[in-house]
Amino acid sequence: QVQLVESGGGLVQAGGSLRLSCAVSGRTVQDYSMGWFRQAPGKEREFVASIARSSSITYYSDSVKGRFTISRDNAKNTIYLQMNSLKPDDTAVYYCAARQGVLFLRDAARYEDWGQGTQVTVSS
């Protein structure tokens, strides 16, 4: 089991940027594939981005591709989600998640550990 704590959420205007952080404890971040998911009120939790263990292959949802970047800082044991050109539709609670596998990294059901989430609000 790993412990995940998200931070960096807040209120920004459309077109602005935020960088979310996910601090990992219990094990090194290099031992896990990591994902970012988000959930808006009344909607299902949806995939945003992921990065695979070892290979560092990344995946993005079509809605964020070209605007968001997932990365891993091994020295700080932290996963980041850099969000640029934010839109009001990006408003949601963003969750960090971890799992041991390296396949099907878009599927929330396959992730084993989850953080508590951080709120991102984008005003128009």
Side-chain angles (χ1 to χ4, degrees), residues 40-116:
K43 295 186 177 181
E44 296 289 328
R45 186 169 297 185
E46 66 174 347
F47 168 77
V48 177
S50 62
I51 183 167
R53 175 177 58 85
S54 184
S55 72
S56 296
I57 295 173
T58 58
Y59 304 87
Y60 297 93
S61 69
D62 290 340
S63 63
V64 308
K65 188 174 296 183
R67 299 188 297 123
F68 292 9
T69 303
I70 187 171
S71 62
R72 179 173 58 219
D73 188 327
N74 295 332
K76 297 182 179 180
N77 216 36
T78 299
I79 297 294
Y80 299 100
L81 184 68
Q82 179 66 47
M83 305 186 295
N84 299 325
S85 302
L86 283 162
K87 306 174 181 179
D89 286 347
D90 295 320
T91 296
V93 177
Y94 283 70
Y95 297 91
C96 180
R99 58 169 296 203
Q100 295 181 4
V102 296
L103 299 177
F104 308 106
L105 295 183
R106 298 173 182 265
D107 298 337
R110 297 180 184 270
Y111 285 79
E112 299 154 355
D113 299 283
W114 293 81
Q116 292 298 112

